[in-house]
Structure formats: C-alpha cells, structure tokens
Amino acid sequence: TLFVPVVAITGADVAEKFLTSEASDSVKPGMVMELDPKNPGKLRIASGTYNRRVAGVVSGAGDIPVGAILGNLPGHEDAPAIALSGRVWVQCDAASGAIEVGDLLTTSDTAGHAMRVADYPRAQGAIIGKAMSELKTGDKGLVLVLVNLQ
C-alpha cells in the first residue's frame, strides 16, 4: 500500500487525453474541441457557433500547465490533454461582442475559438464555461475560462 499525504498539481484543470482526427501539429493549447461524429471516440477542432458537440479545451495554453490527467490510456501518450473542468486559457474571438468577466462562452465561427453567449436558449448544451478575464470587441486572443461544460 502506498500512502501519499499531499499531492501537489501545478495545473488548474482536470483533463483527459483524447485521440483526434486532426493532424497532431494542428491541435494547439487553448483550442476548443468537439466530438467527431465521423470518428467515434475521437475529437476534432470545433467549428460553428453554438456547437452542441463541444467537448472541452486543449489544456496548457498561456501560463497554466496541464493539471490532473485522467484516462491516460495505452496509445494515447501523444494525444492532447483536453480540459473537461477547471481553469484554462481559451482561444476566443470577440468579433460578435466583447467578452466580460462572468460571460458564458460557446463555440464561434472561428475554428477552435470560443465567443460570448448572446442567445441563451441556443447555447443550451453548447456552453464551454465562464469567462474569468476580458477581451475587447473585435479582438482575438486568450481568455481565462472556468471550464464547466453544459
């Protein structure tokens, strides 16, 4: 029996490694990912607004390293860690409006990016999480997000 009194995890998210149907060099930290309907069990870069296939965010962007990794299965060693919960930096596009602290985020028309939710009924099942930092209207960049898929 192994007893560990304290485990320190330097990251701030709970992630799982998922195989992707994209070329591995095209999937970058901070990108929003979706379930790939053509490849069951795999993910691909999310596209389209209010996408209900949203699955999580590639962990490790900005200054927050990958946190706890679940399901590190054989053959998944090189697969990206996808944040399913916790705090991560997310690629965002504020073309449709500024992102403010507390805004709910969903997928955008820009592949792999999030945007603020403006249509709450449409966002049901397509929410990535809640913004913890801001992004000015028209800008693209990283926003700190508390991932809470809904």
Side-chain angles (χ1 to χ4, degrees):
T1 303
L2 175 65
F3 292 97
V4 179
V6 176
V7 174
I9 297 173
T10 58
D13 65 311
V14 175
E16 183 174 342
K17 288 192 171 189
F18 283 90
L19 295 175
T20 66
S21 51
E22 310 279 351
S24 60
D25 60 345
S26 65
V27 177
K28 308 283 186 208
M31 286 185 144
V32 180
M33 302 296 287
E34 68 174 317
L35 304 172
D36 184 346
K38 295 179 182 174
N39 294 290
K42 290 186 177 182
L43 301 184
R44 66 183 183 190
I45 296 169
S47 63
T49 58
Y50 298 92
N51 185 332
R52 291 188 179 165
R53 290 186 303 266
V54 68
V57 177
V58 181
S59 186
D63 60 353
I64 302 177
V66 178
I69 297 177
L70 307 175
N72 197 3
L73 304 172
H76 291 193
E77 294 84 4
D78 295 330
I82 307 299
L84 307 173
S85 179
R87 221 171 357 124
V88 294
W89 289 100
V90 178
Q91 291 288 343
C92 290
D93 185 346
S96 64
I99 295 172
E100 298 179 1
V101 173
D103 282 347
L104 293 176
L105 300 179
T106 187
T107 56
S108 79
D109 273 334
T110 304
H113 287 62
M115 67 176 190
R116 73 176 174 85
V117 168
D119 183 343
Y120 287 93
R122 189 171 173 206
Q124 190 75 2
I127 294 172
I128 298 162
K130 192 172 282 198
M132 297 179 71
S133 66
E134 300 177 342
L135 189 63
K136 293 179 185 173
T137 301
D139 285 355
K140 284 185 184 176
L142 291 173
V143 171
L144 187 60
V145 174
L146 179 58
V147 175
N148 184 10
L149 298 168
Q150 300 175 36

